[in-house]
Amino acid sequence: MNDSPGWATPGSSPSDGEGSHGTQPPAPAAQPSGSDPKWSAEQPPPGQWSSPAAGQTPPPAPGQPPAAPQQGWGSYGGQQPQSGGYPAPPGGRGGWNQAQAVKPGVIPLRPLGLGEILDGAVATMRKHWRSVLPITLAVAVVVQLASVLMQKFAFNDVVLDQSSSASVEDQINALGTTVSLSLAEMFIQLVGTIAATAMLTMIFSRAVLGHASSIGGAWRESRSQLPRLFALTVLLGVGTILLVGVLLLPAILTGSVGLGVLGGFVALGLVLWLWIKLSLASPALMLEKATLTKACARSWKLVKGSWWRIFGITFLTNLITGFVAGIIVLPLTFLGAALFGGGLEGFADGTGTTSWGFLILTGIGGIIGLTITMPMQSGVTVLLYVDQRIRREALDLELARAAGIENYGTGTTAPPTGG
């Protein structure tokens, strides 16, 4: 049995709409008015949400003999498949019964709304803060410490001399040093963010089932996928740069401003579209233990038909986290400039931005902002992934079984809540 708290690789993707054992699923029942058309009435094979504890078998259905240990969750919470190979969705063939939605963890096991996704991310931060906050706090401290030291001891000594007396070689060397230091700082931030994202993904996946995770457990469960997550992040970044460069190249070669504006708008649209299409690749890679190619393909299929919805939720999340970070960082930045940076004049000309007082205050603001906003963004991404799989692949059946909920999907399940 898989020890991972997440999903095993789904094999032939349930998003493809193919049934198991080469059989075609029965025709979906008519959906009631107001139900989500993307909710799968066919109930395709699950993506094998893994057991939260190795060797633990789910409780048998009433009147049934105990099940033998098996690899993964092969059936649907004790419910026997119908003649076509798929059980009915929770609440009956007509669709989802909202009143019967169980909530073993931070979200109910049904298609989620915007408020439920945001609330699930905040609830995880609140209920499992002993695991979440130390991770993000440690990463934020390392990132901000590197930034402060770079600004104080490195960037302060690098000056691009604009006078005619400075040789071209000196200016190139200064520019090269600045670029090298910037890349070093970005690398530190990248590594810290990737490590935090990987561990937070595991914590949120367990929180969906109502189970807590330790920091050490989250690290052990995520470290095997860290090289792939790093490669995925770098690949997306390099791909974005190459795409923008190709679209702006004609304007650079011809010196046309109009062509540059057109190329910029096209590049912005394509980058945004691809960013959303691949936004679920990170949780797919971590929770399904997938390769880079399979993770990107999974994200592409899960986002299909829901691009605008995922874009809206992602944009709103970034807007909220940006606002929260702003109200924390900006006051401390202006306070540091007023007390230690020579006021607005020193802040404007850059002479006051290298004093210890200014750097420490802005660093504290950055630490607080990252500690709060990083888990919020990671949590929304993971819950969007779970929501899309519930809508398309009936993942709620696997989640209910992994959470130990009996008779889920039979219409007789009590709606317990947990945390």
Side-chain angles (χ1 to χ4, degrees), residues 155-350:
F155 290 116
N156 191 35
D157 296 333
V158 177
V159 180
L160 296 179
D161 194 342
Q162 302 292 333
S163 65
S164 58
S165 60
S167 65
V168 176
E169 183 179 357
D170 291 339
Q171 295 190 39
I172 292 176
N173 290 337
L175 180 61
T177 303
T178 302
V179 172
S180 300
L181 293 174
S182 299
L183 290 177
E185 183 179 354
M186 290 174 59
F187 179 79
I188 294 174
Q189 294 177 356
L190 179 65
V191 171
T193 302
I194 290 174
T197 299
M199 297 172 70
L200 290 173
T201 298
M202 296 303 174
I203 292 174
F204 273 92
S205 71
R206 284 192 176 273
V208 170
L209 299 176
H211 301 149
S213 296
S214 66
I215 298 176
W219 168 251
R220 288 190 298 271
E221 291 155 359
S222 62
R223 62 185 178 186
S224 63
Q225 289 293 96
L226 280 176
R228 289 179 176 176
L229 184 60
F230 182 85
L232 175 65
T233 306
V234 173
L235 179 64
L236 294 178
V238 173
T240 299
I241 295 174
L242 292 177
L243 177 61
V244 174
V246 169
L247 292 174
L248 293 181
L249 184 61
I252 296 174
L253 294 177
T254 60
S256 172
V257 177
L259 198 58
V261 172
L262 178 61
F265 276 112
V266 174
L268 178 62
L270 282 177
V271 167
L272 182 61
W273 180 71
L274 290 172
W275 175 49
I276 297 299
K277 292 289 288 185
L278 298 175
S279 61
L280 304 183
S282 173
L285 184 142
M286 296 301 302
L287 297 175
E288 297 181 13
K289 306 300 181 184
T291 62
L292 266 66
T293 304
K294 290 183 178 179
C296 292
R298 289 286 289 151
S299 177
W300 198 278
K301 292 176 182 179
L302 290 173
V303 173
K304 184 179 180 180
S306 301
W307 190 95
W308 283 107
R309 178 176 178 273
I310 295 176
F311 166 75
I313 295 175
T314 304
F315 177 78
L316 181 61
T317 301
N318 289 331
L319 192 65
I320 293 173
T321 54
F323 177 77
V324 171
I327 63 177
I328 295 173
V329 174
L330 289 180
L332 291 176
T333 300
F334 286 119
L335 181 62
L339 297 178
F340 307 104
L344 294 178
E345 294 182 359
F347 183 76
D349 59 24

Side-chain angles (χ1 to χ4, degrees), residues 128 237 317 325 390:
H128 306 288
T317 301
I390 288 177

